[in-house]
Amino acid sequence: MRVAFGADDENETTRAVVRSLTDAGHEVVRPSFGTWPELGRAVGEAVTGGRADYGVVMCWTGTGTAIAANKVPGVRAALAWEPWIARGARLWNDANVLAMSLKRLAPDVAVEVVQAFLAEPEPDPDEAENIKALGS
């Protein structure tokens, strides 16, 4: 699986996330970017453009990168801070980009959140109408 990754800072948490992705055999796509609005957009475009299957964005709170990614038509970015939220974002919202805080999540928790997000290959079919109502 190809995962586009972008963060506006580098720390122990971002390194743990990238390391866990590569250790799991995922190809990490790192699109060109600068500030958090640019990286949110770049990761979103990598996903909608077919260069990545999913995206992971990280900034101070995760909120800014989620908003920026959601400006890209076809992106459904979800902010998650616990594995069950990330899993639900895939199941019930068909999220294709995961946003997380790079300042508030411990490395091991961030890794668990990413793993939960990527572990759900398909959304819950019972949510198809709700997901459709979200638009692209």
Side-chain angles (χ1 to χ4, degrees), residues 47-101:
V47 172
T48 61
R51 295 184 309 282
D53 302 300
Y54 297 100
V56 175
V57 291
M58 300 182 78
C59 67
W60 188 279
T61 65
T63 304
T65 53
I67 292 169
N70 276 321
K71 299 289 184 183
V72 177
V75 168
R76 291 172 306 283
L79 178 61
W81 54 96
E82 292 185 358
W84 72 271
I85 295 170
R87 180 177 180 267
R90 284 286 309 128
L91 278 175
W92 304 314
N93 310 115
D94 195 20
N96 53 9
V97 174
L98 171 65
M100 296 186 297
S101 169

Side-chain angles (χ1 to χ4, degrees), residues 3-93:
V3 179
F5 177 82
D8 68 350
D9 195 5
E10 184 179 339
N11 63 17
E12 186 179 345
T13 301
T14 60
R15 288 188 293 274
V17 167
V18 171
R19 186 172 43 253
S20 75
L21 289 168
T22 56
D23 288 352
H26 301 300
E27 177 187 344
V28 178
V29 176
R30 301 218 45 184
S32 234
F33 52 81
T35 63
W36 60 262
E38 294 167 327
L39 79 89
R41 183 176 53 252
V43 168
E45 289 173 349
V47 172
T48 61
R51 295 184 309 282
D53 302 300
Y54 297 100
V56 175
V57 291
M58 300 182 78
C59 67
W60 188 279
T61 65
T63 304
T65 53
I67 292 169
N70 276 321
K71 299 289 184 183
V72 177
V75 168
R76 291 172 306 283
L79 178 61
W81 54 96
E82 292 185 358
W84 72 271
I85 295 170
R87 180 177 180 267
R90 284 286 309 128
L91 278 175
W92 304 314
N93 310 115

